[in-house]
Amino acid sequence: INVMRISLHPGGLAPRIANLPEWRDHLLRRLRRQIEAAGDVELAGLHEELSAYPAPRTPTGHAPGATTDNAVAIPLQLRSNAGVLSFYSTTTIFGTPVDITLSEIAIEAFFPANRETAETLRRMAADA
Protein backbone atom coordinates (compact mmCIF):
# COMPACT_ATOMS: atom_id res chain seq x y z
CA ILE A 1 0.00 0.00 0.00
CA ASN A 2 1.39 3.37 -0.99
CA VAL A 3 0.09 6.35 0.98
CA MET A 4 0.77 8.82 -1.83
CA ARG A 5 -1.24 6.64 -4.21
CA ILE A 6 -4.15 6.42 -1.74
CA SER A 7 -3.98 10.16 -1.03
CA LEU A 8 -4.12 11.34 -4.63
CA HIS A 9 -6.23 8.65 -6.29
CA PRO A 10 -9.74 9.85 -7.26
CA GLY A 11 -11.15 6.68 -5.69
CA GLY A 12 -9.12 7.21 -2.52
CA LEU A 13 -8.70 10.20 -0.23
CA ALA A 14 -8.47 12.87 -2.97
CA PRO A 15 -12.19 13.78 -3.00
CA ARG A 16 -12.00 14.55 0.75
CA ILE A 17 -8.98 16.86 0.47
CA ALA A 18 -10.37 20.40 0.51
CA ASN A 19 -7.14 21.92 -0.81
CA LEU A 20 -6.33 19.15 -3.28
CA PRO A 21 -4.62 21.38 -5.89
CA GLU A 22 -2.08 22.67 -3.35
CA TRP A 23 -1.66 19.33 -1.54
CA ARG A 24 -1.21 17.39 -4.81
CA ASP A 25 1.36 19.91 -6.04
CA HIS A 26 3.18 19.73 -2.70
CA LEU A 27 3.34 15.91 -2.77
CA LEU A 28 4.48 15.74 -6.39
CA ARG A 29 7.20 18.34 -5.81
CA ARG A 30 8.42 16.50 -2.73
CA LEU A 31 8.49 13.22 -4.67
CA ARG A 32 10.38 14.94 -7.52
CA ARG A 33 13.04 16.13 -5.02
CA GLN A 34 13.40 12.57 -3.72
CA ILE A 35 13.86 11.29 -7.28
CA GLU A 36 16.49 13.93 -8.02
CA ALA A 37 18.37 13.05 -4.82
CA ALA A 38 18.21 9.28 -5.18
CA GLY A 39 17.77 8.65 -8.91
CA ASP A 40 15.31 5.90 -7.98
CA VAL A 41 13.49 4.53 -11.06
CA GLU A 42 10.64 3.13 -8.93
CA LEU A 43 10.00 6.60 -7.48
CA ALA A 44 10.11 8.04 -11.00
CA GLY A 45 7.46 5.51 -12.04
CA LEU A 46 5.34 6.45 -9.04
CA HIS A 47 5.65 10.14 -9.94
CA GLU A 48 4.57 9.39 -13.49
CA GLU A 49 1.57 7.39 -12.23
CA LEU A 50 0.48 10.04 -9.70
CA SER A 51 0.90 12.84 -12.23
CA ALA A 52 -1.48 10.99 -14.56
CA TYR A 53 -4.32 11.02 -12.00
CA PRO A 54 -6.97 13.62 -12.83
CA ALA A 55 -5.66 17.02 -11.78
CA PRO A 56 -7.99 19.30 -9.89
CA ARG A 57 -8.38 22.85 -11.05
CA THR A 58 -5.92 25.22 -9.43
CA PRO A 59 -7.27 27.96 -7.18
CA THR A 60 -8.22 31.18 -8.93
CA GLY A 61 -5.22 33.39 -9.54
CA HIS A 62 -2.60 30.70 -8.89
CA ALA A 63 -0.47 29.02 -11.50
CA PRO A 64 0.42 25.36 -10.84
CA GLY A 65 3.26 25.28 -8.33
CA ALA A 66 2.80 28.90 -7.27
CA THR A 67 1.31 27.99 -3.92
CA THR A 68 4.05 25.58 -2.85
CA ASP A 69 7.29 26.90 -4.34
CA ASN A 70 8.12 29.16 -1.43
CA ALA A 71 5.78 27.85 1.24
CA VAL A 72 7.24 26.71 4.53
CA ALA A 73 4.34 24.35 5.17
CA ILE A 74 1.28 23.32 3.19
CA PRO A 75 -1.59 22.22 5.42
CA LEU A 76 -3.63 19.14 4.60
CA GLN A 77 -7.29 20.14 4.80
CA LEU A 78 -9.64 17.18 5.08
CA ARG A 79 -13.39 17.32 4.70
CA SER A 80 -15.03 15.31 7.46
CA ASN A 81 -18.47 14.89 9.02
CA ALA A 82 -17.25 17.38 11.63
CA GLY A 83 -16.24 19.96 9.01
CA VAL A 84 -12.85 20.73 7.46
CA LEU A 85 -9.92 19.58 9.59
CA SER A 86 -6.52 21.19 8.98
CA PHE A 87 -3.21 19.46 9.65
CA TYR A 88 0.46 20.18 9.17
CA SER A 89 2.91 17.36 8.81
CA THR A 90 6.47 16.56 9.69
CA THR A 91 8.49 13.84 8.03
CA THR A 92 11.32 11.89 9.63
CA ILE A 93 13.55 9.96 7.24
CA PHE A 94 15.98 7.32 8.45
CA GLY A 95 18.84 7.99 6.05
CA THR A 96 21.72 6.18 7.75
CA PRO A 97 20.15 3.58 9.97
CA VAL A 98 22.05 1.48 12.46
CA ASP A 99 19.68 -1.37 11.64
CA ILE A 100 19.36 -2.23 7.94
CA THR A 101 15.63 -2.92 8.42
CA LEU A 102 15.14 0.87 8.85
CA SER A 103 16.72 1.70 5.50
CA GLU A 104 14.62 4.16 3.50
CA ILE A 105 11.85 4.36 6.06
CA ALA A 106 10.04 7.67 6.32
CA ILE A 107 7.47 8.47 9.00
CA GLU A 108 5.06 11.31 8.37
CA ALA A 109 3.14 12.60 11.37
CA PHE A 110 0.16 14.94 11.15
CA PHE A 111 -0.67 17.53 13.81
CA PRO A 112 -3.65 19.87 14.15
CA ALA A 113 -2.89 23.11 12.30
CA ASN A 114 -5.39 25.18 14.25
CA ARG A 115 -7.34 25.27 17.50
CA GLU A 116 -10.62 24.26 15.86
CA THR A 117 -9.10 21.06 14.47
CA ALA A 118 -7.45 20.23 17.82
CA GLU A 119 -10.75 20.75 19.69
CA THR A 120 -12.69 18.70 17.14
CA LEU A 121 -10.19 15.83 17.42
CA ARG A 122 -10.40 15.92 21.22
CA ARG A 123 -14.20 15.77 21.04
CA MET A 124 -14.08 12.90 18.55
CA ALA A 125 -11.62 10.98 20.74
CA ALA A 126 -13.80 11.49 23.81
CA ASP A 127 -16.87 10.26 21.90
CA ALA A 128 -15.10 7.15 20.61
Side-chain angles (χ1 to χ4, degrees), residues 60-81:
T60 305
H62 293 287
T67 57
T68 59
D69 281 345
N70 298 314
V72 174
I74 302 297
L76 170 62
Q77 298 172 334
L78 289 176
R79 292 184 192 95
S80 75
N81 293 338

Side-chain angles (χ1 to χ4, degrees), residues 2 8-9 16 22 26-27 29-30 41 47 50 59 62 66 77 81-82 88 93 98 100 102 109 111-112 114 123 127:
N2 182 286
L8 298 180
H9 194 280
R16 288 189 163 271
E22 295 89 356
H26 166 69
L27 290 182
R29 286 178 178 278
R30 190 171 76 187
V41 295
H47 186 278
L50 298 178
H62 293 287
Q77 298 172 334
N81 293 338
Y88 69 89
I93 299 173
V98 174
I100 193 66
L102 294 178
F111 300 92
N114 56 41
R123 266 195 317 275
D127 292 345

